[in-house]
Amino acid sequence: MARLARLRLDDREVERMAAELSKVLDHVARVRELDLKGVPPTSHAVDMAGVMRADEPRPSLPVDVVLAAAPEPVDGGFGVPSPGPGGE
Amino acid sequence: MSELIELSAAQAVARLRAREIDASELFEAYRERAAADELNAFTWVASAAPEPVADTALCGVPVAVKDLFCTEGVPSQAGSRILEGYRPPYTATVVARLAAAGAPLLGKTNQDEFAMGSSNENSGFGPVLNPWDRSRVPGGSSGGSAAAVAAGLAPWAIGTDTGGSIRQPAALCGLVGVKPTYGACSRYGMIAFASSLDQAGPLTRDVTDAALLLSHMVGHDPMDSTSVAFPEPITLPSAEDLRGLRFGVPEELLGDQAGAGIEPGVRASFEATLALAEELGAEVDTCRLPHAPHALSAYYLIAPAEASANLARFDGVRYGSRVAGDRDLETMYSETRAAGFGPEVKRRIMLGTYALSSGYYDAFYGTALKVRTKIAEDFREAFRRFDFVVTPTSPWTAFPLGSKTDDPLAMYLNDFCTVPMPLAGIPAISLPSGLADGLPVGFQLAGPAFSENRLLEAAHALERAIGFDGSRARA
């Protein structure tokens, strides 16, 4: 799970979190006791769909402004390490 | 100077408009107090008053802003070390609107990391202290905003509420806090925690200030497709009674079993406020929210699930810190996030990743979304008979620092009266109902979507009758 979340956890953290999350999951799993057959899911509390804004061109932020907070800008772009041999 | 601090924000606006006081003097009075902050409420304070803008509605009364809001060129760290020193290239719509209305930025306030917490102890920049008792928490996640206003370090502040993050710290610090209807305020530039729940709102000394600040926050924003045009202007409340209003007290949250965790002092203040409401003409009766006991579970599946997706953007590429940049890409991601996120954020990311993972998605996340439907239905049903659903905001008053940090579940349980409303997208207000053992207690009213004006009117009538005095925390 930590790998899926791109989060390195050391053994101590894994142990502690497993115990804490088991307790939380035991509690939240009670929702499964409810009879919810035929109930539609709500992913959004306000009923709206397909909201579009006017398709009008407007200026973007300048590249140097966007890159100002990047840890490693390279040639006008965001620099990242090589995916490497173990990369996917 | 101290006379300026004792003015409510609305009173300050009136005095500024009459040219009885000076806007830069007012700003400087608060700026000095904010800069000398001993509560760790601020993470950044403006160095000088901005150039005054003539003829604005709020006349230059400055506002403190939770660090979750992006502010151009000003540190916006969301309480996280992963964003340490981050200065965004743009300003959140709500903050820009307030500035245009004449409420310039006084400072950025401390918070639980990415708004995950109920005590402000999850900040990467240290806990905030409660001005009523510095050995206690101010609540969270908008704890810095609450402490700053309560202590008179800011005239008013804005925060964000996902599961109670405005209302609960308002309750624990003796303030008024409003969680507006979902979509009322633009989320553009608010660093996202759980996008289907997050809403900005005011934390203020009184109900009038809350209405005034909120009136300049709401409105459709083309930059946030979930924002909606508020159907009417937010007006300043004037109600002095509650005649003709029906208050529903939800049995499922406050009955013998569910309500067992409510502290006696909180219970007593709540009951006294109900009696007062009846004296003011309200009808008070028990109402039913059959699925409310499951709201906490649904919330702690939905919010972490959304957070696990939203926080994927903190990967050491576009902003924030980077660790192990000389290694391969995936190692850089994992190490950056391991070093930058605190324990609570890691817990929620793991919980959300689990709830969304193949094989568990339907059982956890999918089920939670259905519970959400039932909770919204419960409220709709309750509002056929009642104008408002009322509860204590928090089952506890401000608790001692460190007293609940070892048990994440116990901390989550604090939210059982505040999570049902954001799940249903409806507005709620918390106002101080009195003191229990010298600490403020919050009374919550929730109404149907876009009932903000009616909530503010009712809260105003109650506030007048309660006569809460928060001046001790400013001393």
Side-chain angles (χ1 to χ4, degrees), chain B residues 96-127:
Chain B
R97 279 204 178 140
L98 289 177
L105 177 63
L106 174 66
K108 298 296 287 291
T109 55
N110 201 347
Q111 59 167 98
D112 283 302
E113 185 174 9
F114 292 114
M116 299 176 192
S118 314
S119 70
N120 220 115
E121 292 168 295
N122 297 332
S123 169
F125 303 93

